[in-house]
Amino acid sequence: MTEPQRTRAVFASEDFQLIRTAVLHYLKEVGAKPEAVKFANLYHRLGRIV
């Protein structure tokens, strides 16, 4: 029987800050549209990672 392969991180730590910056930019573009709430929540969750 073979050992299961170890999982590797998909994103580097610095990637989360880049993604968070991109989400913030998008939030400014969408303004008060309904989907903005989901992106605002994502922005705050990413802040907990960084």
Side-chain angles (χ1 to χ4, degrees):
M1 184 184 295
T2 61
E3 294 283 326
Q5 291 185 348
R6 293 181 61 189
T7 58
R8 295 186 312 188
V10 176
F11 295 109
S13 298
E14 64 189 28
D15 293 341
F16 290 107
Q17 185 60 43
L18 291 171
I19 294 168
R20 191 168 192 253
T21 301
V23 170
L24 179 60
H25 175 74
Y26 183 73
L27 275 170
K28 292 176 183 177
E29 294 294 316
V30 296
K33 291 182 181 177
E35 67 265 22
V37 173
K38 292 181 181 181
F39 283 95
N41 292 336
L42 174 60
Y43 177 80
H44 290 292
R45 286 194 307 271
L46 287 168
R48 287 184 262 161
I49 294 172
V50 180

